[in-house]
Amino acid sequence: MSSIIFVPNSGISHRLFELKVIYCVGGEISPLLANIYLNVLDKVWKMKKVEERWKARLIRYADDCVVPGQGNTERVLKGIRTVLGHLDLSLNEAKTRVVDARKESFNFLGFTIQVKKSIKTGKRFPLIRPSKEALAEIKAEIKALTCRKTLHLPKEVVIKKLNEVVRGWAGYFYYKNCSRDLSTIKRFLDERVRIYLRRKHAKKSRGYKAYPYQYLYETLGLYKIPTTAPWTQTAKAVGRR
């Protein structure tokens, strides 16, 4: 099964679909199996010159795909249904929809994407930020590692686990318009670590004097989340989402 989002005539248009093997006992197919199956779709796309003829570009990572396009929605959808049909796969029609990215956003691989107009230049550009779900997930993980249940653990162990989680998340979302959200998570991480330390050592203050930035980052070795994401770096569809 799969779903598609298509965004016509917006400068950036998209179809997003997630695939499952029909007889896979309801379980999602692995990235490897998705690549094996959908390699056929990739080849047909190139062979039929869909991008050149219909201005529809297929962007796929395992079983997640986006197709930027400029119209010809039904024709391209029909072609995808035909190819998937030959693979004994079908679209999840409940998730298949047409989206105008100039008016609404959509999620892809953990990012929320929408076409916006620059206040300075007046030109349209894709605004790419971590999705609300991705932000909520990392906050929940940080909170779980700094809650009362972990007070019995040595702080070195807690910091190590936090670094593993946060470094992976920040590395994945270190891209384009994500600087503000990276800063938000950094502040959240700092505050949660101070809360953990206050509780562990029975401190009544908010911990800014007892546990300043120098103590967090130099003494404890807390990973410092970068807060200025580069615009020229290519997005990496690896790691966390």
Side-chain angles (χ1 to χ4, degrees):
M1 300 172 66
S2 63
S3 63
I4 290 181
I5 296 177
F6 185 76
V7 193
N9 304 318
S10 62
I12 293 182
S13 52
H14 308 264
R15 292 193 192 117
L16 168 64
F17 58 102
E18 305 167 274
L19 296 176
K20 295 182 180 179
V21 175
I22 296 176
Y23 303 106
C24 196
V25 198
E28 293 188 6
I29 63 177
S30 69
L32 176 59
L33 188 55
N35 281 328
I36 292 173
Y37 264 69
L38 294 179
N39 184 52
V40 175
L41 179 60
D42 299 341
K43 290 183 176 180
V44 170
W45 208 273
K46 292 182 179 180
M47 183 179 66
K48 297 293 185 180
K49 297 183 177 181
V50 177
E51 184 172 349
E52 293 83 352
R53 294 170 59 194
W54 309 115
K55 305 299 181 184
R57 180 185 177 190
L58 177 65
I59 300 173
R60 182 174 69 81
Y61 171 70
D63 56 342
D64 293 316
C65 300
V66 161
V67 180
Q70 298 180 17
N72 302 303
T73 310
E74 293 304 322
R75 184 184 292 273
V76 179
L77 272 174
K78 181 179 179 181
I80 292 175
R81 287 192 178 97
T82 299
V83 175
L84 294 181
H86 288 306
L87 298 173
D88 290 327
L89 297 172
S90 62
L91 291 176
N92 183 335
E93 300 299 340
K95 295 182 179 180
T96 300
R97 62 195 180 102
V98 177
V99 174
D100 186 342
R102 296 169 298 183
K103 299 178 180 179
E104 57 181 309
S105 62
F106 66 94
N107 292 343
F108 180 61
L109 296 180
F111 290 91
T112 294
I113 305 169
Q114 185 172 2
V115 175
K116 293 286 189 177
K117 181 179 288 187
S118 172
I119 299 177
K120 294 182 179 179
T121 66
K123 296 181 179 180
R124 296 187 181 278
F125 71 97
L127 180 65
I128 304 173
R129 299 177 60 183
S131 66
K132 291 181 179 179
E133 293 79 6
L135 292 169
E137 180 182 350
I138 188 62
K139 285 184 176 181
E141 291 193 57
I142 292 172
K143 190 172 183 178
L145 288 171
T146 54
C147 67
R148 296 182 185 276
K149 293 181 180 179
T150 64
L151 292 178
H152 68 285
L153 295 174
K155 57 179 177 291
E156 293 80 8
V157 173
V158 172
I159 295 299
K160 182 180 179 181
K161 290 184 177 181
L162 280 171
N163 285 349
E164 291 173 354
V165 169
V166 175
R167 183 181 285 110
W169 190 92
Y172 183 79
F173 289 103
Y174 187 59
Y175 180 70
K176 290 288 187 180
N177 313 100
C178 299
S179 296
R180 181 182 300 177
D181 296 299
L182 288 168
S183 296
T184 297
I185 297 302
K186 181 181 179 298
R187 289 193 298 270
F188 183 81
L189 175 64
D190 293 347
E191 182 63 21
R192 287 303 309 178
V193 171
R194 287 195 179 97
I195 290 174
Y196 164 79
L197 292 172
R198 281 182 2 234
R199 288 172 174 171
K200 188 175 184 67
H201 301 293
K203 299 284 186 179
K204 294 184 178 181
S205 66
R206 292 189 60 82
Y208 290 103
K209 290 185 178 180
Y211 310 114
Y213 290 112
Q214 184 177 2
Y215 179 78
L216 296 182
Y217 293 106
E218 296 183 13
T219 303
L220 293 183
L222 182 65
Y223 175 71
K224 190 173 184 179
I225 298 175
T227 56
T228 306
W231 281 77
T232 56
Q233 177 175 302
T234 302
K236 300 176 181 179
V238 294
R240 302 170 59 84
R241 297 187 192 178

